[in-house]
Amino acid sequence: MSGLFKALSVLESRLIEVHGISLNEAMVLCCIGKETVTASAIVEGTGLKASHASKVIRSVEDKGLLVRSMGEKDKRQMYFSLTDEGWKCVQGIKDKGVEIPEMLLPLFKNEME
């Protein structure tokens, strides 16, 4: 199990080094993509706990990579979408990629084909 944690740590370090975002931040950005989504959709799409997703959303928002807006019908509902910079970051991950540790390669096999 420690090998898995080390591989995930290496992956996150590479994401930060190349793209300036953590693994959880990358998951949130990729989950949103070109859509406008709710926090619950982000939680569902990433598997993060709601409280942790809220912190990650705030972090990505503070970096200027996403914006939040109020719902038109229900002002209590928040929606999230990527800024131009956020979309450039997602595209950078797709275009440049990130070196995947060997232990994690089987998990990315379908994404890389």
Side-chain angles (χ1 to χ4, degrees), residues 60-75:
V60 177
E61 186 177 30
D62 288 347
K63 290 181 178 184
L65 303 176
L66 72 77
V67 292
R68 69 176 67 212
S69 56
M70 275 192 277
E72 291 182 20
K73 293 179 182 174
D74 182 352
K75 301 291 185 199

Side-chain angles (χ1 to χ4, degrees), residues 21-56:
I21 59 172
S22 71
L23 182 56
N24 287 334
E25 290 169 340
M27 289 189 326
V28 167
L29 293 180
C30 292
C31 176
I32 296 171
K34 285 284 192 184
E35 306 293 320
T36 298
V37 300
T38 62
S40 59
I42 294 171
V43 167
E44 186 177 316
T46 61
L48 297 171
K49 299 280 187 209
S51 60
H52 190 66
S54 178
K55 291 175 187 170
V56 176

